[in-house]
Amino acid sequence: NADIPQPVLDVIARLRELGHAVYLVGGCVRDMVRKVHPKDFDVATSALPEEVQRAFRKVIPTGIQHGTVTVLQGTTHVEVTTFRSEGDYLDGRRPSSVAFERDIVKDLSRRDFTINAMAYNPLDRDLVDPFGGQSDLQAHLIRCVGSAFERFSEDGLRPMRAVRFSAVLGFSLDPDTHAAIPATLGVFRKVALERVREELVKLLLSSRAEGGLLLLADTGLLDVFLPEVAGASADEARLARAAVQAAPQDIEIRMAALLADLVDRARARDIGLRLKFPNKSADLIALLVENAKLETRLWDTDPALRRLLARVSLANLPALLSLARARVQARAPDQLSALEQLCTRLEALAAAKPPLVPKELALTGGDIMATLGVGPSPIVGEATRFLMESVLDDPSLNTTEALKRQLQTWHSARSTS
Ligand code: ATP
Ligand code: MG
């Protein structure tokens, strides 16, 4: 019980004092049984949502129609959900109805996997484990509560969650659970890609992403939401998985590691948007994919490398370097030391803080107009681009005097030609 925050214990004690059944449920019980510190603590109770609201001074009706109330204990938010069972799933996406229940076992039996279907009352030290969650935890098994085929037919996201938990925990799929995945892909196809992406992100950020990706491919799930990866040759797919595993646990870098050798920039962005990543993430994934192959630039000149820095921006350089290292480690580890020399050169060029964008030029748009004796016109843009290119070639030109001279030479050459 040492793990359980006092505000959570207080909520449990209060509900029990009022005569309600009350338990911790789901992921936190699984984690406590595994002796891992839980991320968050979910409370389930026989009290109806209105009774929960009346029992505490400060509450937010977070998901009141599903029975969830957030209790504010000081600065801690405790989610309290009334025991529930679910009606039929009509479309494989959401239950047609929910019913509140008095009995914890009813609530546990709607949950996805045996290891997620345990409840614990810390006051009585009472563990409720009707489906063998403890023994599956010990055996490192992901197993559906009840018939895997039925449970996957009810909610098409569950197969994806099974593979995600397998990657995160390093567990195997129970054979029946495994076999039910290809058999229910039709239901998985209907799941909103946003929900799929949330599970994919957790899988990719896990320390066993490589194995998780292999299982996604073997079960047929990957083909549904990432056909670009599922359709790659066995060798390319293996190298992509190895690059993901070698990359730091950052979602944009790992997505780029997965895609960099399989698709181009535009396709990478489409994939990001299709999977409902935020625009900023999709853009960054695309930018990283576009510039990932640093091993092809070992002989680039400083001006060429400064243009690369301008394209990716200094802020994204560390991400690009770790992506490049991960890919080379997976694909050509003998080139790692050559790549490292390039990384050092790029870091040194970046450390010199060269001007990379027009607003860092020593001449403003106004200065350019004054020097050329013109008002706002397209020539100002052209001149700015010319000066930017000159400064990328030679950053020491970025002074007012030098740029004015550059500009005058450019202008007279331009008017005579
Ligand atoms: P994590 O540590 O990743 O948050 P978790 O077990 O808490 O893992 P959540 O997605 O937060 O996972 O869900 C909380 C609990 O709700 C699960 O442990 C499980 O009991 C139940 N649950 C969540 N999603 C489903 C689902 N699609 N079908 C059935 N039960 C589910
Ligand atoms: Mg959770």
Side-chain angles (χ1 to χ4, degrees), residues 143-157:
R143 181 203 312 269
C144 285
V145 171
S147 151
F149 182 84
E150 282 173 24
R151 305 315 306 282
F152 289 173
S153 304
E154 285 168 3
D155 177 354
L157 185 68

Side-chain angles (χ1 to χ4, degrees), residues 29-356:
V29 181
R30 177 195 70 223
D31 289 344
M32 286 189 288
V33 173
R34 293 166 63 218
K35 303 191 160 53
V36 168
H37 191 74
K39 282 202 307 277
D40 44 32
F41 291 81
D42 292 318
V43 174
T45 180
S46 60
L48 293 172
E50 308 80 77
E51 296 177 304
V52 177
Q53 281 182 291
R54 264 184 271 123
F56 300 95
R57 223 167 315 160
K58 283 194 180 167
V59 297
I60 311 168
T62 337
I64 196 91
Q65 65 285 22
H66 307 112
T68 303
V69 170
T70 301
V71 176
L72 284 150
Q73 292 284 95
T75 58
T76 313
H77 291 208
V78 185
E79 295 232 314
V80 181
T81 305
T82 303
F83 297 160
R84 29 174 257 216
S85 60
E86 287 165 358
D88 293 341
Y89 285 74
L90 297 179
D91 58 1
R93 290 191 285 193
R94 62 195 105 80
S96 53
S97 62
V98 299
F100 297 136
E101 299 284 348
R102 292 266 143 209
D103 175 17
I104 180 65
V105 176
K106 286 257 178 60
D107 182 275
L108 295 178
S109 61
R110 73 167 169 92
R111 293 175 183 270
D112 46 10
F113 307 113
T114 59
I115 60 169
N116 287 344
M118 296 185 280
Y120 178 64
N121 181 313
L123 306 176
D124 315 329
R125 297 183 178 256
D126 174 25
L127 183 72
V128 184
D129 178 15
F131 308 107
Q134 288 174 97
S135 78
D136 284 344
L137 268 183
Q138 255 163 19
H140 289 196
L141 276 182
I142 307 295
R143 181 203 312 269
C144 285
V145 171
S147 151
F149 182 84
E150 282 173 24
R151 305 315 306 282
F152 289 173
S153 304
E154 285 168 3
D155 177 354
L157 185 68
R158 288 175 186 155
M160 185 76 195
R161 286 175 59 83
V163 176
R164 184 264 281 193
F165 281 113
S166 145
V168 169
L169 302 173
F171 286 16
S172 310
L173 299 186
D174 168 75
D176 287 344
T177 297
H178 194 295
I181 298 181
T184 53
L185 285 178
V187 189
F188 178 62
R189 264 187 210 103
K190 298 189 212 160
V191 175
L193 284 173
E194 178 149 25
R195 293 177 76 204
V196 174
R197 189 251 302 147
E198 283 175 17
E199 300 297 331
L200 175 67
V201 166
K202 290 181 180 175
L203 181 154
L204 286 177
L205 294 182
S206 76
S207 53
R208 297 176 195 81
E210 193 171 20
L213 285 166
L214 182 59
L215 192 51
L216 282 182
D218 287 348
T219 49
L221 291 167
L222 194 63
D223 193 42
V224 172
F225 64 95
L226 268 178
E228 298 86 348
V229 179
S233 73
D235 269 339
E236 281 302 328
R238 180 178 51 77
L239 292 169
R241 287 191 297 267
V244 169
Q245 186 69 50
Q249 284 160 289
D250 168 286
I251 190 57
E252 284 91 6
I253 301 177
R254 285 200 159 182
M255 275 299 290
L258 181 62
L259 299 175
D261 291 275
L262 305 177
V263 303
D264 64 10
R265 176 198 176 104
R267 181 60 75 88
R269 185 163 179 282
D270 289 345
I271 291 171
L273 295 177
R274 190 178 77 215
L275 295 178
K276 306 284 189 298
F277 278 93
N279 286 346
K280 250 185 87 184
S281 279
D283 288 342
L284 179 53
I285 293 166
L287 185 71
L288 292 172
V289 163
E290 175 183 47
N291 298 290
K293 293 175 182 163
L294 288 188
E295 72 279 9
T296 64
R297 316 190 61 142
L298 298 177
W299 307 108
D300 274 22
T301 59
D302 284 0
L305 293 183
R306 272 192 295 271
R307 287 187 170 83
L308 173 65
L309 293 179
R311 189 144 185 78
V312 301
S313 87
L314 296 186
N316 294 324
L317 181 63
L320 182 66
L321 297 188
S322 36
L323 170 62
R325 289 186 181 106
R327 282 184 55 263
V328 169
Q329 189 170 321
R331 308 179 73 90
D334 54 310
Q335 286 184 43
L336 268 175
S337 67
L339 176 72
E340 214 45 59
Q341 288 181 31
L342 178 67
C343 293
T344 306
R345 274 182 69 204
L346 279 163
E347 280 165 340
L349 288 173
K353 296 258 184 284
L356 297 175

